[in-house]
Amino acid sequence: MKAAKLIYFFLLVAFMATPTLLRAQNPQLNKYDFGEGIDFGKKGEYEMNFRGYMQPYTEVKNYTTNDKTDNLTRFRLRRLRLRLTGEASKYKVDYRFQVDLSGSSEVEDETNNNYLLDAWVRYALTNRTSITFGQRATPTDNRELYMGSNTLQLPERSRVTSAFASIREFGFFAESSARFNNGSYIKSYLTLTNGDGLNAYNSDFGGLKVGGRIDYLPFGLFTKFGQYRQADVVREISPKLVIGGNFSVNQGMSSRRGRGSGEILYLDEEGDFLLPNYTKYGIDFMFKYKGFSVLGEFMASEASVPEGIKQRVRNDGSTSSTFDVDGEQDVANYIKGRMMLGKGYNIQAGYLFKSLYSIDARFTYLDADKHSFLNNGTFYNRPRYYTAGVSKYFDRSYGAKIQASFTYVDAGEGGINDINSNPIKGNEWIARLITTLSF
């Protein structure tokens, strides 16, 4: 709660101070594009952009428990985001500050409300190389993760993102690009972060996370940052393709997949913290051409557990030396059973008609390791997701749209549960409806 109040305070100060600073510099209102925000400043010297969007959301789950059919309906404000970006060309510096005031968590199996999303400063070492310090989306996740939430071609991201992505991290991010004579590009990214996801307000456990990504664009850059957006609203006049791979190692992780600090802790014989390591890697691609788009992703994760772990910390702060797995003491597999371990595949495609209606489809598959939290019957243990969707865009941008989808979910072996831990008989149907309005 203190963190939320602090964020609101700085946001208020920023809004109050910005007009005064701008008047002092005699700025100019450059342009306003619906969905792309307001641009103001002095061209070639300093420029700022202010934008935001909101997403009212409805979800209905249909399943059978205790010989009756249940419908779980949820209404919520999925996102309410405000973003301020700026650039001072003279000093080779740009920055971003973004908050989400909806109070909604990104995924179903976590309840923390994160208001501060982005807060970073980037310095351009050369025209093609830069280094960023702060909190931002990490390129070491699957490709879908660092695409804007208001540009998704379906109401929600795939379960591959939910299962493996750390979403945002705090640390250093270096990026560089190279253009070849044939017009193709290679983009490379290196990261050094705290490995705990969003900024750790309390104690920071474990070591650092090191990772990287390489992207190859054989046909040149996408139009209007289309590499970081899903549906092909600009209708690329020539084929555009990006193929990439990512890899990261988190030394001493204290959560399921690196989204938090101190959520899951272990101790050695002396009572000092000793944590497992988490390795993640994947490959992905995206293709766009004349309204048609395809996104394909593969992610996998592994864990290594130190032999010296002797105790675990319970939720109430007490400790236990019991690591029970199927009636036997098994430290390594008990720890792995609380982590997101396994593989995931996601393939989705869509076509945006000239009438600005789109049809989209997705198939997602999660292949859990034998000992993995992906086998948890309440949040996961659902290996296959089949989704079909339809969207209506109100202009050739991401300014306003309405999207609906239907998802059929297969239950894994051992069964699945609802949010109250009641066994579900058979499989699930999920209907989603989301409206996006940007400025």
Side-chain angles (χ1 to χ4, degrees), residues 39-107:
D39 289 334
F40 48 93
K42 287 186 177 181
K43 286 285 187 180
E45 294 186 25
Y46 61 90
E47 298 176 67
M48 299 178 70
N49 173 272
F50 180 62
R51 67 178 69 181
Y53 63 93
M54 63 177 179
Q55 293 182 314
Y57 174 86
T58 303
E59 177 183 282
V60 179
K61 288 187 177 182
N62 179 274
Y63 51 83
T64 300
T65 60
N66 300 323
D67 297 325
K68 68 175 183 178
T69 300
D70 289 331
N71 289 302
L72 176 62
T73 303
R74 178 167 60 167
F75 298 89
R76 62 169 172 159
L77 187 59
R78 185 65 180 88
R79 300 176 183 92
L80 175 57
R81 297 188 176 178
L82 300 174
R83 189 176 88 181
L84 180 68
T85 59
E87 178 181 5
S89 302
K90 179 179 179 180
Y91 302 104
K92 301 181 181 180
V93 171
D94 64 309
Y95 58 88
R96 175 180 296 176
F97 174 66
Q98 182 176 204
V99 294
D100 188 340
L101 304 181
S102 69
S104 296
S105 177
E106 284 286 342
V107 291

Side-chain angles (χ1 to χ4, degrees), residues 274-314:
L274 185 59
L275 303 172
N277 300 324
Y278 188 72
T279 301
K280 185 171 62 176
Y281 53 91
I283 56 174
D284 45 51
F285 75 92
M286 184 172 64
F287 174 82
K288 290 185 177 182
Y289 181 54
K290 291 186 176 180
F292 179 68
S293 59
V294 182
L295 172 67
E297 303 169 296
F298 164 79
M299 289 295 296
S301 62
E302 302 173 355
S304 60
V305 179
E307 295 183 359
I309 293 179
K310 301 297 182 181
Q311 302 177 72
R312 56 185 174 88
V313 180
R314 296 190 180 101

